[in-house]
């Protein structure tokens, strides 16, 4: 027994009644907790069911992944490459490689430039040199206390694509070696002394000179710089001013105030038959600028007494101790000569990468590797059977105990299984391969897929195209002007008649034409500025040399690395005409000149005539579509053609033909799997949400029941306390009466 008291919640009750009140209250409360335990049991069942459906969703996602891998055209173009002599070339092929045999003759490997000083006393002894020099366009300052070790550190800190290392052969045999980080002639190390003749004193450079970036007999380029408008001193850290001469014409330059563009302008203004421009190059997503000089005096009649051209990389002193010359790889592929900065040839034969290892001849063979296609198809079978196995395991019924699996009788699972079983053998192919049965598939007594691999191998080797068409979403048209491009999971297969295409606007290209015929000569040169969406919103400036004819101008534009893939220049009756190479609004552009039209220039001036390109417009199957260039795509929300994209290359409007669209087994499966597993609107997502709602509802009921029981327990305790107090008072009165009446006889 216990009596209630103030000792930290310890209760002492039952002293008056002799009852175990605490036990009675606990048991009464426990009885009223039975609904909570029932709710918790229901929660556990729902959570277990939620887990089961989560695992089921994973099985369906695996099937979706397997189906998706068969929904890409590249899956059916697997290639394997081998070299007859693997010591000469290592080869690999992508799905884009065409089957065939290629003769490879490696005549020279690419090498990285390597230059060294002459032998020095040690790597740690002060060199006693002062001055500065340039390495790949960055200045390095040298102090008398610098050693080969500190000099190597300074060179490496420039981060200019070279690495300086030390060779220590003992006393009097210490060398500083400068290595280019990349192979190829275009990555040769550029070095020049600015002051003090440091590199010359160390034996790195000698007195001879050359033009390392000679484009043709009389056109030379500087090294690459970050941009054309910052001062050269800002770009390089070099402080230099001086004069160079082109055929007797002197040009003064000050790196502190001049940029590449102002140097080009100075050359053009100086005349003397010399012309200069700034050209840009983009490689590996990095854009750089070069100064390009045209002069009949190159290379014989150029003087650079102050080292300006050498600092810019237009000229280069000879190397006093060159260990390895920079060179490109050279090879012939089927008698086609190829050069490359690296020993990896990845763009000579489409889809084929050839890594050159040593000089010599070998043959490279590319074959179709249908084993990869077979593996992808077998993966589909494995994933499908994984779904069936999971359903069977969790839907079982024990005939003796009548205990069933968590998915037994579940309508959602039945819907998924029925959909898959009815879809898997759909006849959607053509020719000799119309469904999976034609590939050797069938059902066993457990509704799982089985495969006759011999039949599949035969189909893959004899009719790979039909296997491809069975699996992929494909499209075709009888019209040469219509081409199926792509679709998505919302695109619905068409009937045999196809979807009609109605064109209301054909795609056109943007053009830009000068206002007058070009007048000669261009006395001071000209700068054409190209802008617009065709150029990604940037401005490309093209310098045109003095004296350039219209033919020269057209050639310059059509061969410029920045413009040649975007516009085409032509002669339109003596007037410059430019045309975008892209159709539609994405190909729009504008051109302006720094000169007035007709004033000895291209004739564009600031008033050229622009005609903007238009996107194709029309409908697919009578449903709205959006045009982009020549491509027309069904709009979001269309009942049949959402995401269906076609290309129209014709030039007439109206009803131009039809496109037949077929989903393919893999495409259909992927579409159905996404309808089940989509994280927003998928069938299993709805089931999971319903289970979550039920669990949360039970949690709310548990909470409200617990809150009610707290009140109930307090009420019981108060009542028992009141009873104990009443019994206590009665017991006290009884004792008093006993004392009074017990003493009277």
């Amino acid at each position: 027994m216990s009596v209630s008291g103030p000792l930290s919640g310890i209760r002492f009750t039952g002293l008056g009644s002799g009852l175990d009140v605490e036990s009675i209250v606990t048991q009464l409360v426990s009885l009223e907790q039975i609904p909570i335990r029932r709710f918790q049991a229901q929660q556990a069942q729902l959570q277990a069911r939620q887990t089961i459906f989560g695992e089921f969703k994973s099985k369906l996602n695996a099937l979706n992944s397997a189906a998706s891998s068969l929904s890409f055209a590249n899956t059916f173009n697997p290639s394997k490459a081998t070299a007859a002599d693997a010591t000469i070339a290592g080869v690999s092929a992508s799905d884009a490689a065409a089957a065939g045999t290629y003769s490879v003759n490696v005549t020279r490997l690419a090498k990285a430039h390597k230059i060294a000083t002459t032998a020095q006393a040690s790597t740690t002894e002060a060199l006693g040199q002062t001055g500065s020099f340039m390495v790949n366009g960055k200045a390095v300052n040298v102090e008398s206390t610098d050693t080969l070790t500190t000099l190597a550190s300074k060179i490496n800190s420039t981060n200019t694509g070279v690495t300086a290392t030390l060779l220590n052969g003992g006393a009097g045999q210490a060398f500083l070696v400068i290595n280019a980080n990349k192979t190829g002639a275009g990555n040769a190390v550029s070095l020049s002394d600015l002051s003090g003749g440091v590199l010359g004193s160390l034996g790195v450079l000698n007195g001879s000179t050359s033009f390392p970036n000679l484009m043709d007999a009389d056109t030379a380029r500087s090294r690459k710089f970050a941009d054309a408008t910052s001062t050269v001193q800002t770009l390089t850290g070099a402080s230099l001013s001086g004069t160079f001469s082109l055929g007797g014409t002197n040009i003064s330059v000050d790196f502190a105030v001049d940029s590449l563009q102002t140097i080009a302008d100075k050359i053009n203004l100086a005349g003397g038959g010399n012309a200069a421009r700034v050209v840009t190059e983009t490689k590996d997503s990095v854009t750089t600028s070069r100064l390009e000089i045209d002069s009949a005096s190159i290379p014989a009649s150029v003087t650079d007494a102050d080292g300006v051209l050498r600092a810019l990389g237009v000229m280069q002193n000879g190397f006093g101790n060159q260990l390895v010359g920079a060179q490109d790889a050279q090879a012939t592929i089927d008698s086609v000569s190829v050069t490359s900065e690296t020993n990896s040839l990845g763009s000579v034969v489409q889809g084929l990468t050839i890594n050159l290892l040593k000089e010599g001849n070998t043959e490279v063979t590319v074959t179709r590797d249908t084993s990869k296609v077979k593996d992808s198809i077998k993966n589909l079978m494995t994933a499908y059977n994984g779904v069936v196995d999971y359903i069977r395991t969790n839907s079982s019924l024990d005939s003796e105990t009548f205990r069933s699996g968590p998915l037994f009788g579940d309508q959602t699972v039945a819907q998924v299984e029925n959909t898959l079983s009815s879809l898997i053998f759909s006849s959607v192919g053509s020719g000799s391969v119309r469904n999976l049965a034609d590939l050797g598939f069938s059902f066993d007594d457990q509704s799982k897929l089985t495969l006759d691999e011999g039949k599949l191998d035969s189909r893959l080797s004899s009719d790979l195209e039909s296997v491809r068409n069975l699996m992929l979403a494909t499209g075709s048209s009888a019209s040469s002007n219509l081409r199926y491009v792509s679709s998505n999971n919302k695109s619905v297969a068409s009937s045999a008649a196809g979807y009609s295409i109605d064109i209301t606007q054909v795609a056109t290209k943007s053009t830009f034409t000068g206002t007058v015929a070009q007048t000669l000569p261009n006395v001071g040169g000209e700068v054409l500025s190209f802008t617009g969406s065709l150029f990604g919103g940037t401005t490309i400036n093209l310098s045109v040399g003095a004296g350039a004819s219209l033919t020269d101008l057209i050639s310059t534009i059509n061969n410029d690395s920045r413009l040649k893939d975007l516009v085409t220049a032509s002669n339109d009756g003596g007037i410059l005409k430019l045309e975008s190479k892209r159709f539609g609004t994405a190909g729009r552009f504008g051109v302006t000149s720094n000169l007035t039209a007709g004033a000895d220039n291209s004739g564009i001036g600031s008033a050229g005539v622009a005609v903007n390109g238009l996107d194709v417009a029309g409908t697919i199957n009578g449903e709205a579509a959006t045009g982009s260039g020549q491509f027309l795509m069904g709009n979001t929300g269309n009942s049949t053609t959402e995401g269906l994209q076609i290309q129209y290359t014709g030039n007439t409007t109206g009803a131009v033909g039809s496109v037949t669209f077929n989903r393919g087994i893999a495409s259909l499966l992927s579409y159905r799997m996404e309808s089940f597993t989509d994280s927003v609107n998928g069938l299993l997502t709805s089931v999971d949400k319903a289970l979550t709602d039920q669990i949360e509802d039970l949690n709310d009921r548990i909470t409200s029941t617990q809150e009610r029981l707290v009140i109930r327990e307090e009420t019981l305790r108060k009542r028992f306390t009141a009873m104990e107090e009443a019994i206590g008072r009665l017991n006290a009165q009884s004792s008093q009466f006993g004392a009074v009446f017990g003493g009277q006889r």
Side-chain angles (χ1 to χ4, degrees):
M1 293 185 297
S2 62
V3 179
S4 60
L7 301 176
S8 302
I10 298 175
R11 298 180 176 91
F12 299 94
T13 61
L15 290 178
S17 65
L19 299 175
D20 187 353
V21 173
E22 185 64 29
S23 177
I24 293 171
V25 172
T26 299
Q27 292 183 49
L28 288 172
V29 171
S30 179
L31 286 172
E32 296 197 36
Q33 285 179 332
I34 290 175
I36 292 178
R37 291 193 288 272
R38 185 171 65 248
F39 295 154
Q40 290 172 334
Q42 291 174 354
Q43 271 190 325
Q45 290 176 342
L46 291 171
Q47 288 167 343
R49 188 172 179 79
Q50 199 171 36
T51 299
I52 289 292
F53 271 98
E55 294 172 350
F56 183 47
K57 185 176 181 179
S58 296
K59 295 294 182 181
L60 294 178
N61 281 330
L63 178 56
N64 187 19
S65 178
S68 295
S69 70
L70 288 166
S71 300
F72 298 102
N74 285 346
T75 302
F76 297 90
N77 295 308
S79 300
K80 178 171 64 177
T82 56
D85 188 340
T87 66
I88 293 175
V91 292
S92 62
S94 71
D95 296 338
T101 301
Y102 306 91
S103 176
V104 178
N105 180 25
V106 184
T107 55
R108 191 171 75 180
L109 294 178
K111 294 181 181 180
H113 203 190
K114 184 180 290 188
I115 311 138
T117 63
T118 53
Q120 303 297 313
S122 75
T123 60
T124 57
E125 184 175 322
L127 297 170
Q129 300 286 334
T130 58
S132 61
F133 61 87
M134 298 275 281
V135 54
N136 278 4
K138 291 292 183 181
V140 176
N141 296 315
V142 182
E143 300 172 355
S144 61
T145 54
D146 278 330
T147 65
L148 290 184
T149 300
T150 58
L151 202 55
S153 178
K154 287 184 176 182
I155 292 173
N156 290 334
S157 67
T158 63
N159 296 315
T160 54
V162 300
T163 300
T165 58
L166 300 173
L167 288 179
N168 191 354
Q173 290 296 311
F175 299 85
L176 171 68
V177 181
I178 302 174
N179 305 267
N181 292 344
K182 295 181 179 180
T183 58
N187 294 310
V189 180
S190 175
L191 296 169
S192 63
D193 273 319
L194 292 172
S195 63
V198 176
L199 295 180
S201 298
L202 295 176
V204 176
L205 299 177
N206 61 32
S208 65
T209 57
S210 64
F211 290 83
N213 300 305
L214 205 60
M215 300 299 297
D216 52 42
D218 58 3
T219 303
R221 282 184 174 180
S222 71
R223 69 170 63 88
K224 299 175 183 178
F225 292 93
D227 64 69
T229 56
S230 300
T231 66
V232 179
Q233 183 169 308
T234 299
L235 296 173
T236 65
S239 177
L240 178 66
S241 62
T243 301
F244 62 89
S245 174
L246 299 174
T249 300
N250 294 327
I251 296 96
S252 297
V253 172
D254 185 349
F255 282 7
V257 295
D258 283 324
S259 65
L260 293 186
Q261 187 59 60
T262 59
I263 294 173
D265 294 341
K266 286 184 175 182
I267 294 172
N268 290 329
L269 290 173
N274 305 311
R277 67 194 65 87
V278 174
V279 295
T280 60
E281 301 174 8
T282 300
K283 184 177 181 181
D284 298 329
S285 301
V286 177
T287 300
T288 54
S289 299
R290 291 179 186 260
L291 173 66
E292 186 173 281
I293 303 173
D294 289 330
S295 175
S297 60
I298 294 176
S301 302
V302 179
T303 58
D304 186 35
D306 297 323
V308 173
L309 294 180
R310 280 167 287 175
L312 292 172
V314 176
M315 298 180 70
Q316 172 66 60
N317 280 113
F319 299 106
N321 190 16
Q322 180 171 274
L323 304 181
V324 179
Q327 68 180 33
D328 292 334
Q330 289 185 349
T332 57
I333 312 296
D334 283 351
S335 300
V336 176
S337 297
V338 177
T339 60
S340 172
E341 284 187 350
T342 71
N343 289 310
S344 179
L345 308 180
S347 59
V348 180
V349 179
Q350 184 179 9
L352 184 63
T353 298
I354 305 173
N355 295 312
L356 309 181
L357 303 176
K358 71 176 185 181
E359 296 176 3
N361 294 285
T362 187
E363 278 196 345
V364 174
T365 303
V366 179
T367 57
R368 287 291 180 218
D369 187 9
T370 57
S371 64
K372 291 183 179 179
V373 180
K374 180 179 179 180
D375 288 342
S376 295
I377 293 175
K378 290 177 67 176
N379 287 341
L380 180 68
M381 179 183 71
T382 300
Y384 182 91
N385 289 342
V387 173
V388 175
D389 274 337
Y390 193 80
I391 294 173
R392 295 289 174 271
T393 300
N394 292 281
S395 301
S396 59
L397 175 66
D398 191 313
S399 59
E400 295 182 359
T401 64
F402 296 102
R403 296 188 63 179
S404 61
L407 298 181
F408 178 77
D410 187 273
Q411 292 303 306
T412 299
V413 173
Q415 178 183 345
V416 172
E417 184 175 16
N418 291 337
T419 300
L420 291 179
S421 62
S422 62
L423 182 121
I424 195 69
F425 280 103
S426 298
S427 292
V428 295
S430 59
S432 62
V433 182
R434 299 190 62 81
N435 53 46
L436 287 182
D438 292 331
L439 297 183
F441 284 95
S442 61
F443 278 138
D444 64 12
D445 58 358
Q446 296 296 314
S447 297
K448 293 168 61 176
L449 290 174
T450 62
L451 173 64
D452 180 346
E453 293 195 29
K455 189 172 183 178
L456 176 60
D457 290 337
S458 176
R459 293 297 191 192
L460 290 175
S461 61
S462 64
D463 199 357
L464 181 61
E465 185 66 18
S466 292
V467 178
R468 173 185 179 276
N469 290 338
L470 171 67
M471 294 293 179
L472 292 178
T474 57
S476 61
S477 176
S479 170
S480 61
N481 292 325
L482 289 172
R483 182 176 70 90
Y484 163 78
V485 178
S486 63
S487 58
N488 66 20
N489 282 336
K490 299 293 181 64
S491 308
V492 178
S494 70
S495 66
Y499 288 143
S500 61
I501 310 298
D502 189 89
I503 300 298
T504 57
Q505 167 64 55
V506 299
T508 60
K509 294 179 179 179
S510 296
T511 60
F512 201 95
T513 309
T515 54
V516 295
Q518 184 184 31
T519 306
L520 295 178
N522 292 67
V523 176
E526 181 181 12
V527 177
L528 297 180
S529 298
F530 294 76
T531 58
S533 58
L534 180 62
F535 304 101
T538 62
T539 299
I540 295 178
N541 294 317
L542 180 72
S543 296
V544 183
S549 65
L550 180 58
T551 300
D552 293 333
L553 176 59
I554 291 171
S555 177
T556 298
I557 293 172
N558 289 337
N559 289 288
D560 186 86
S561 60
R562 303 161 298 168
L563 301 174
K564 63 181 181 180
D565 295 325
L566 299 174
V567 297
T568 299
S570 61
N571 185 335
D572 185 14
I575 297 175
L576 175 66
K577 181 177 181 179
L578 301 169
E579 183 179 68
S580 170
K581 289 190 175 183
R582 296 179 183 174
F583 283 90
T585 56
R588 293 179 178 179
F589 69 98
V591 186
T592 58
S593 170
N594 64 330
L595 302 177
T596 304
D600 298 339
N601 63 71
S602 61
I604 286 178
S606 59
V609 178
V611 178
N612 286 328
L614 300 174
D615 295 317
V616 66
T619 60
I620 305 174
N621 196 35
E623 296 179 340
T626 299
S628 177
Q630 292 182 315
F631 298 93
L632 196 63
M633 179 182 287
N635 287 352
T636 300
N638 287 356
S639 59
T640 60
T641 62
E642 178 176 344
L644 181 63
Q645 186 177 46
I646 61 100
Q647 182 184 25
Y648 177 61
T649 58
N651 55 17
T652 60
T653 58
V656 296
S658 62
V659 172
T660 303
F661 171 60
N662 176 38
R663 290 208 63 90
I665 285 292
S667 177
L668 279 172
L669 279 172
S670 182
Y671 169 63
R672 289 303 179 193
M673 291 308 97
E674 288 195 14
S675 72
F676 295 146
T677 62
D678 181 79
S679 60
V680 178
N681 299 313
L683 178 62
L684 295 188
T685 300
S686 299
V687 171
D688 183 74
K689 185 178 184 302
L691 290 171
T692 298
D693 290 344
Q694 293 179 60
I695 292 169
E696 291 177 351
D697 179 65
L698 286 170
N699 195 55
D700 292 340
R701 295 171 71 178
I702 289 170
T703 300
S704 64
T705 302
Q706 287 174 332
E707 291 172 349
R708 181 175 56 80
L709 285 179
V710 170
I711 297 172
R712 175 63 172 159
E713 183 178 2
E714 289 299 320
T715 301
L716 287 172
R717 292 191 185 282
K718 288 179 180 180
R719 289 179 178 178
F720 274 106
T721 298
M723 180 191 74
E724 289 289 342
E725 290 174 350
I727 291 173
R729 288 194 297 271
L730 290 173
N731 285 339
Q733 291 175 0
S734 176
S735 296
Q736 290 174 358
F737 288 144
V740 171
F741 295 106
Q744 299 178 1
R745 300 292 180 184

